């Protein structure tokens, strides 16, 4: 009898175990781990804030990082540089392209609970228009040519003197609260206490400030989804090397900018995830087209063929660059995927030079045409990477009979004496922080070739001028794409300067920070474009419930 009872008990126990296993399996299969609210992310950052104010932050990367988390603009930058709604939910553009009417969201609160209205927008624009505005001269120049009008509490109108398709780029700038700053004289904005502990409308709000760090907490009233992270803290360090060392000591979970020399160590760290994204800018060699040696396009095209740009990126940048073929970057909606590409081909370069009449008749290794010698000075500033680049470029050009003599100068001499006055043969430099709209007009239109203008190569082309003028005065996307396609085709034929590469931005976060997505960036502050989706905490939820969650609160 006892043996029978034991067998029954064993059988019942086996059944219970089986039921439990089946139940656990069913639960595991029908549930999913999803993000939850909570957690603090700590990032090390090089430098200190000077003015956490969107209309004063242009010169300081730390300020721009914090502004990206604390403030919103009327619009924001989306994929391929497309402008998306932000504080404005929609807008109209008049048929002649000179009137922009913005319809504002009516559910936005400032971090102190005050409502956001059109009055805040008008105040912000008026501050940049003020003759005493202490911020970026470029912003002042643009906004002083625009009339801003408040039509009602949630409608604003901008009137432009003439059509200007890139105008929407400027509406991404963060908006300031008039109820806090309206009584502050514009000339005193730079000294305002607001810049140390600002009030914005963004996903995070200032919680603590000290000389060494700032702590932000999630905005519970954010007009989009509340961020998953409870807090983000930034600890300030003197430089990027110090940030890297702080991570090794366990002081921070994220490295705001990973230097090339630290990339391998980050890759080897099992607790870190490395994120990389192309930056909106490019490195190039400006050719002074007023110099006789560069006036033949055949020479310029031959130089492009002689350069092994991928080798430059691999050997000197550790692979952290993207070889480019157009002054319109490949992540832009206006980029022509079929643009002519000058791949490294020294034999073709030699043929092109000889067909243009350049030969090395005296055997000194440098080509001549008549009395003209194919030689010039290639300058850059004293940045170690740039110095290595001009020496490598010089060596590559020498292989096809072109002498480029490297010259290293100070940064001030390069930017205040050589480039603005065109006192150079060729200069290796770069354009940084290019705006979302691909408009190449400021860099390649002949009107900008005068002293102090940005067309430092002195590129003069009537055909290019017409294409660039037409492209910036129409808001019809398909028309602009075609105009820019033709400009890129012309640029590749004329080759007014030698395009090298688009830089890559690297940052690293602890592996427990999830939901991070990368995309091309205007600058490093855009690493926070998806910050509301970052998470550390998780929860297990029934699959059916998770599927019914609102799309704007799921991890992206």
């Amino acid at each position: 009898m006892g043996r029978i009872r034991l067998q029954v008990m064993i059988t019942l126990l086996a059944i219970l175990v089986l039921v439990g296993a089946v139940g656990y399996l069913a639960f595991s299969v029908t549930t999913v781990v999803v993000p939850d609210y909570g957690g603090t992310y700590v990032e090390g950052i090089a430098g200190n804030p000077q003015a956490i104010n969107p209309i004063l932050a242009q010169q300081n990367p730390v300020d721009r990082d914090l502004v990206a988390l604390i403030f919103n603009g009327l619009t924001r930058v989306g994929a391929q540089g497309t402008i998306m709604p932000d504080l404005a939910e929609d807008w109209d553009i008049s048929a002649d392209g000179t009137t922009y009417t913005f319809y504002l969201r009516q559910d936005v609160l400032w971090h102190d609970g005050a409502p956001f209205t059109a009055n805040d927008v008008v105040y912000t624009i008026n501050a940049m228009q003020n003759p005493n505005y202490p911020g970026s001269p470029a912003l002042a120049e643009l906004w002083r040519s625009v009339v801003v009008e408040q039509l009602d509490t949630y409608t604003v109108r901008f009137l432009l003197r003439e059509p200007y398709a890139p105008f929407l780029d400027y509406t991404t700038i963060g908006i300031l609260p008039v109820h806090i700053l309206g009584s502050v004289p514009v000339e005193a904005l730079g000294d305002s206490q607001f810049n140390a502990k600002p009030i914005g409308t963004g996903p995070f709000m200032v919680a603590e400030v000290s000389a060494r760090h700032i702590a932000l907490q999630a905005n519970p009233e954010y007009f989009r989804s509340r961020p998953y992270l409870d807090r983000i803290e930034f600890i300030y360090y003197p430089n990027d090397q110090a940030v890297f060392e702080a991570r090794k000591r366990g002081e921070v979970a994220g490295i705001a900018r990973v230097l090339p020399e630290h990339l391998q160590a980050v890759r080897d760290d099992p607790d870190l995830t490395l994120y990389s994204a192309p930056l909106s800018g490019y490195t190039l060699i400006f050719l002074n087209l007023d110099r006789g040696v560069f006036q033949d396009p055949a020479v310029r095209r031959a130089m492009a063929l002689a350069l092994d740009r991928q080798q430059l990126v691999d050997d000197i940048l550790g692979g952290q660059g993207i070889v480019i073929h157009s002054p319109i970057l490949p992540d832009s909606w206006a980029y022509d995927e079929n643009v002519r590409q000058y791949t490294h081909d020294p034999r073709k370069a030699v043929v092109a030079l000889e067909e243009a009449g350049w030969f090395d008749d005296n055997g000194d290794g440098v080509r001549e045409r008549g009395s003209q010698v194919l030689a010039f000075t290639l300058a850059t500033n004293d940045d170690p990477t740039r110095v290595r680049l001009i020496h490598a470029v010089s060596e590559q050009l020498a292989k096809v009979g072109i002498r480029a003599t490297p010259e290293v100068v100070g940064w001030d001499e390069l930017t205040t004496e050589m480039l603005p006055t065109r006192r150079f043969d060729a200069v290796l430099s770069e354009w940084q922080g290019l705006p979302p709209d691909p408009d190449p007009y400021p860099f390649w239109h002949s009107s900008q070739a005068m002293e102090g203008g940005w067309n430092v190569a002195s590129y003069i082309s009537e055909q290019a001028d017409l294409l660039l003028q037409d492209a910036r005065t129409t808001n019809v996307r398909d028309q602009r794409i075609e105009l820019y396609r033709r400009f890129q085709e012309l640029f590749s034929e004329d080759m007014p300067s030698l395009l090298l590469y688009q830089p890559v931005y690297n940052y690293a976060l602890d592996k427990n920070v999830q939901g991070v997505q990368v995309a091309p960036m205007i600058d490093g502050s855009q690493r926070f474009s998806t910050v509301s989706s970052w998470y550390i905490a998780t929860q297990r939820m029934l699959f059916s419930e998770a599927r019914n969650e609102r799309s704007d609160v799921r991890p992206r």
Side-chain angles (χ1 to χ4, degrees), residues 402-424:
I402 301 173
R403 178 188 293 158
T405 303
E407 179 185 17
V408 179
V409 300
W411 176 252
D412 288 342
E413 181 179 352
L414 183 73
T415 56
T416 63
E417 297 180 27
M418 295 179 70
L419 289 174
T421 61
R422 314 303 193 260
R423 288 168 46 195
F424 65 90

Side-chain angles (χ1 to χ4, degrees), residues 186-214:
V186 171
E187 60 270 24
L189 274 180
D191 300 320
S192 171
Q193 288 299 311
F194 176 89
N195 300 330
K197 196 172 183 180
I199 299 293
T201 56
F204 286 87
M205 50 202 295
V206 178
E208 299 173 15
V209 176
S210 73
R212 188 164 180 260
H213 94 295
I214 186 170

Side-chain angles (χ1 to χ4, degrees), residues 263-276:
L263 281 172
Q264 194 55 52
V266 169
R267 293 189 184 105
D268 293 340
D269 189 332
D271 296 324
L272 281 176
T273 301
L274 179 68
Y275 295 91
S276 301

Side-chain angles (χ1 to χ4, degrees), residues 75-85 91 93-95 97 100 164-169 328-336 435-439 467 470-486 488:
T75 61
R76 57 192 172 93
V77 181
Q80 290 190 304
T82 302
I83 301 300
M84 307 289 290
W91 58 85
I93 305 175
S94 64
Y100 289 71
Y164 182 55
F167 173 71
L168 284 176
D169 280 1
I328 293 178
L329 297 175
D331 44 70
S332 169
W333 53 263
Y335 178 68
D336 178 14
D437 192 282
D439 178 27
L467 293 170
D470 289 347
R472 67 170 7 200
T473 55
T474 176
N475 284 298
V476 180
R477 175 66 65 88
D478 288 344
Q479 292 180 12
R480 297 190 77 201
I481 289 173
E482 173 58 20
L483 290 165
Y484 284 140
R485 184 197 66 76
R486 291 162 57 192
Q488 291 170 83

